[in-house]
Amino acid sequence: MNNELHTPETDALGQMRQQLTLLQHRLDHQVEISDRQMRKAVTSRVASLRSFHNMGIVFSIVCAFIVTFGVYEQGVRLPFLVATIVFFTLNTVSGFFLQARKQDCRTASDMIAAARSMQRYKMLNNRYLACGIPVVIMWAIWYVYEICLVAGYTTPKAFLGLLVCCIIGGVIGGLIGYYTFHRPAMRRADKIIEQVEEYVAAEGLEEEEQVS
């Protein structure tokens, strides 16, 4: 009976099983390393987005000082000057509230939380942009009116001429800001969401745990 248990065929089968077990162990180890690297990459991407957003805040603060000082030097009325200061102050403060949350992706739940945080980040920033455009337009119209008063321009033609120049400058500045900060930030957030979705699919998480 022992001879039947230790035939060359059974020995070869046993070695094959050992090799398969070793191979499975190596594969599990590689998957664990890949999983850890992906979580580390998402954490790094979120940190990079936060730094990029902070650069936008600094740029906004610098622009606020330049514009406010320029408006003050032009001799506009006090109500407009106060409104300008309040406007840029609220814009700067809003930048901190719109910042992406810091994430440390140690678990699958952390990864999903990071993706949902990016979705929230995109939603809030897009809404802020949509609401901010009409406010900027109203500020620009008021600014042109103040300049007309300071310069003594009383004709509608002069007002419209300055308004057109202001709109052109505003559009150019807005496009620069959009393509320099807003659009790249949204793309970075999309990349994080996409990476988490790939992670969820690879891990085969339950439907209720997936990114919605």
Side-chain angles (χ1 to χ4, degrees):
M1 185 174 181
N2 287 336
N3 291 336
E4 292 178 358
L5 292 175
H6 294 283
T7 60
E9 290 78 4
T10 57
D11 291 341
L13 183 60
Q15 291 178 358
M16 185 178 298
R17 287 175 178 173
Q18 290 178 355
Q19 291 175 356
L20 288 174
T21 302
L22 180 61
L23 178 60
Q24 183 64 42
H25 177 73
R26 289 178 178 176
L27 289 174
D28 291 341
H29 183 63
Q30 290 177 354
V31 169
E32 182 180 351
I33 293 176
S34 177
D35 177 82
R36 186 163 57 247
Q37 290 176 340
M38 185 172 289
R39 285 187 273 111
K40 184 177 180 180
V42 170
T43 301
S44 177
R45 286 183 182 275
V46 173
S48 176
L49 175 59
R50 286 173 54 83
S51 298
F52 186 76
H53 186 94
N54 287 335
M55 287 176 54
I57 293 176
V58 172
F59 179 77
S60 176
I61 293 174
V62 172
C63 290
F65 275 109
I66 293 175
V67 173
T68 303
F69 180 76
V71 167
Y72 172 77
E73 286 294 310
Q74 289 172 335
V76 298
R77 295 179 302 173
L78 182 61
F80 179 74
L81 180 62
V82 172
T84 300
I85 294 174
V86 171
F87 169 68
F88 282 110
T89 300
L90 291 176
N91 180 66
T92 301
V93 173
S94 298
F96 290 102
F97 282 103
L98 295 171
Q99 173 66 286
R101 296 176 181 175
K102 185 177 181 180
Q103 298 289 336
D104 186 9
C105 300
R106 298 179 181 271
T107 65
S109 297
D110 293 336
M111 292 281 282
I112 295 174
R116 289 174 177 166
S117 176
M118 291 302 101
Q119 291 172 338
R120 180 177 180 274
Y121 174 80
K122 288 184 58 182
M123 178 191 69
L124 292 178
N125 279 272
N126 285 328
R127 286 182 178 177
Y128 181 78
L129 179 64
C131 295
I133 291 176
V135 176
V136 171
I137 292 175
M138 288 188 292
W139 179 89
I141 294 173
W142 192 1
Y143 170 71
V144 171
Y145 177 73
E146 291 291 328
I147 295 301
C148 286
L149 290 179
V150 172
Y153 299 146
T154 57
T155 63
K157 184 177 180 180
F159 176 81
L160 290 177
L162 285 175
L163 182 60
V164 170
C165 293
C166 186
I167 290 175
I168 293 174
V171 169
I172 294 174
L175 289 175
I176 292 174
Y178 178 81
Y179 285 101
T180 303
F181 292 104
H182 184 81
R183 188 179 182 187
M186 296 301 101
R187 286 186 171 182
R188 292 186 183 207
D190 284 334
K191 187 65 178 178
I192 293 171
I193 294 172
E194 178 183 343
Q195 195 165 12
V196 173
E197 288 176 345
E198 292 177 357
Y199 172 86
V200 170
E203 291 294 310
L205 299 179
E206 294 297 329
E207 183 70 21
E208 60 269 15
E209 293 182 342
Q210 294 185 9
V211 181
S212 58

